[in-house]
Amino acid sequence: MLGQSLSHAAAQKRLKAEMASVDAALSAERSAHARAIQNRDTIIADLRLQLHGHKKHRFGSKSESSAQLTLELILEEMEIEQAAETDDEDASSDAEAKPPRTPRKRKPFPKNLKRVQTTITPSDACTDCGGSFKVLGTDVMEELEYVPGHYIVNQIGRPRLACTCCEKVVQAEMPSRPIPKSFVGPALMAHILCCKYGYHLPLYRQSQMFANEGIDLSGSLMAGWVGKCTKLLERVSDAIRDHVFEAQAIFMDDTTVKLLQKGKGRGKNKTKTARLWVYARKENTWASGVPPAVWYQFSTSRGAEHPSQHLATYEGFAHADAYAGYNDAYRTGRIKEMACIAHVRREIFDLYESTKLPVAGEAVLRIKKLYDVETQARFLPASERVALRQEYAKPIFDDLEVWLKEQLGKISSKTPLAKAIKYALARLPKARPYLDHGFLESDNNTAENAVHPVAVGRKNYLFMGSEAGGKSAAIAYTLIETAKMNKVNPEAWLAWVLERIQDHPANRINDLMPWAYQDMINAKTAEAEAKGAA
């Protein structure tokens, strides 16, 4: 019996050892499977994100509206609730009739449009008794119509006059013109500039449009005009730059354009990636009253020396993305960085849109609360904006940082979500200054909006023909987009400027700014209305 007991104990010991070995093997296998699953999930998330990026590039981007995300989440919850509590009753019996649709009210047509009156009468006399009619009232319907534009030829005569006494011959001087010894008028030159850079019509297309009217204007001829004209307007662009850099805070960004490089031999031309830099000032959101403006600059590369050179005279805050090329400017101490919360949100929103991760959705909704505060603060004076942000936005901002750090500790550092959270945690401290300064914004959308016309234009003209062409484009964009920001007709303003800039004193260039032009137009309109009322 003792032998059996010892044998049984030895067997149990061996069995326990085998079981421990099996458990260790199973544990190692489970760990290997867990790592494999985690690696697979990371790869799948990366591939989904790449696929989403390719789809976005090919088919266009979807709206980033946080309301859309909120609606998606609400609909998901409603569908779950409906599936759990399915009711066989016909819901259509409880459906209420839709209220009648309110007719849409359109804005009246501008008063300065020419009115062509047409009167329609049923007959000259009554068909029953043959009597004449008297007018009781008139129903007037306004219809908007289009009359194709037309061109005119200005004939400027300068008679040579001889004195009848001494036979001296005199002749009036030729009036100054935008481009001396050319036959282009100021309004036509403004039209060509706005069509190319404001409405994205390349010069060869404009040449075809002129040909339809029987006017021979080649693309190369107009290109020469554009180069000379933008050179003439450069001092107006410089004045806009000075106005932008007088701000306490600016918005800056850059975008790519193609620059043509001539190769050796026919068909050997290539393009390289160049840059258009944007520096904007917009202060109406905090009731400043200072006119907005935007200044563009062209460069052949994205080197850090370019923004450093552009910002050499600026001192203040700069809203910008995370481009490292701005760091040299920040190191001077003159310029303080203000990070963009919209970029933080975009990284996380793109991840949610492609993977539907709940953590990403929660992060977007938390950032939405910051923008809800900004909606209330919009157009308030700077001091009131600070008070509102300190009371409502600061607690949300602080909680967001703490919450993101907690989520980062729960996930693998190799996942796309972890990368997005790390980016957010790196940028949020640099976005914090907006909580303490009412003249700052929470994002850099002003600069991104200024970049948009360039992005649309490059799809039409495809590339800049030369470095000089890039500089001309920067000047034209500066003038046209600044006029648009001030709700000034850029074509009318440019025609007005080109008509007088040759003789205009250099020390009074600010009198040619778009807001000065608009003030003049408003004063003339008020004077005309006063005379009409009198």
Side-chain angles (χ1 to χ4, degrees), residues 52-89:
H52 174 68
H54 288 306
K55 285 182 177 179
K56 199 170 187 179
H57 175 73
R58 184 177 180 185
F59 302 111
S61 60
K62 296 182 180 179
S63 170
E64 292 184 3
S65 170
S66 55
Q68 172 191 347
L69 171 59
T70 307
L71 179 61
E72 287 182 6
L73 296 177
I74 291 174
L75 288 176
E76 287 177 3
E77 295 299 325
M78 291 177 64
E79 289 171 355
I80 294 172
E81 181 179 356
Q82 186 176 6
E85 300 178 3
T86 305
D87 193 351
D88 295 334
E89 296 180 1

Side-chain angles (χ1 to χ4, degrees), residues 404-419:
L404 287 174
K405 290 177 182 176
E406 292 175 352
Q407 302 307 312
L408 185 61
K410 298 177 181 178
I411 59 177
S412 170
S413 60
K414 296 182 180 180
T415 61
L417 178 60
K419 295 176 184 176

Side-chain angles (χ1 to χ4, degrees), residues 300-330:
T300 57
S301 68
R302 204 192 186 194
E305 67 274 11
H306 299 301
S308 296
Q309 181 183 358
H310 302 157
L311 298 166
T313 61
Y314 178 65
E315 183 174 353
F317 280 91
H319 299 76
D321 56 23
Y323 172 50
Y326 297 133
N327 291 340
D328 288 346
Y330 298 145

Side-chain angles (χ1 to χ4, degrees), residues 176-180 232 235 497-504:
S176 61
R177 307 167 69 208
I179 305 175
L232 178 65
R235 51 183 173 148
V497 171
L498 289 169
E499 189 177 358
R500 50 188 41 81
I501 191 171
Q502 285 281 21
D503 302 324
H504 194 81

Side-chain angles (χ1 to χ4, degrees), residues 148-321:
H150 60 280
Y151 302 96
I152 63 172
V153 177
N154 289 325
Q155 291 184 332
I156 304 173
R158 296 188 298 137
R160 293 183 298 275
L161 306 176
C163 177
T164 56
C165 296
C166 65
E167 297 186 354
K168 179 182 178 180
V169 179
V170 296
Q171 188 180 33
E173 294 289 335
M174 189 68 182
S176 61
R177 307 167 69 208
I179 305 175
K181 299 181 180 180
S182 72
F183 57 87
V184 59
L188 178 59
M189 193 66 246
H191 177 70
I192 292 172
L193 279 174
C194 287
C195 282
K196 178 171 174 58
Y197 297 106
Y199 310 119
H200 322 299
L201 282 174
L203 294 178
Y204 80 90
R205 292 185 194 170
Q206 294 189 52
S207 178
Q208 294 170 354
M209 294 168 67
F210 283 116
N212 292 337
E213 299 291 333
I215 302 171
D216 182 19
L217 292 181
S218 66
S220 59
L221 175 64
M222 288 188 286
W225 287 350
V226 168
K228 293 177 181 178
C229 192
T230 51
K231 183 64 177 177
L232 178 65
L233 294 168
E234 187 173 8
R235 51 183 173 148
V236 182
S237 174
D238 291 343
I240 290 176
R241 172 202 62 200
D242 296 340
H243 176 76
V244 169
F245 286 163
E246 288 172 358
Q248 299 179 73
I250 62 171
F251 304 83
M252 58 188 190
D253 201 356
D254 68 286
T255 189
T256 59
V257 289
K258 293 295 183 182
L259 175 64
L260 184 65
Q261 289 186 309
K262 294 183 179 180
K264 297 179 180 179
R266 189 174 180 180
K268 299 291 185 179
N269 293 342
K270 297 181 180 180
T271 59
K272 66 172 290 186
T273 301
R275 292 279 164 174
L276 269 177
W277 304 82
V278 175
Y279 303 91
R281 176 181 188 177
K282 189 177 181 183
E283 301 178 356
N284 65 319
T285 52
W286 51 279
S288 164
V290 176
V294 57
W295 182 58
Y296 294 80
Q297 280 291 279
F298 174 82
S299 69
T300 57
S301 68
R302 204 192 186 194
E305 67 274 11
H306 299 301
S308 296
Q309 181 183 358
H310 302 157
L311 298 166
T313 61
Y314 178 65
E315 183 174 353
F317 280 91
H319 299 76
D321 56 23

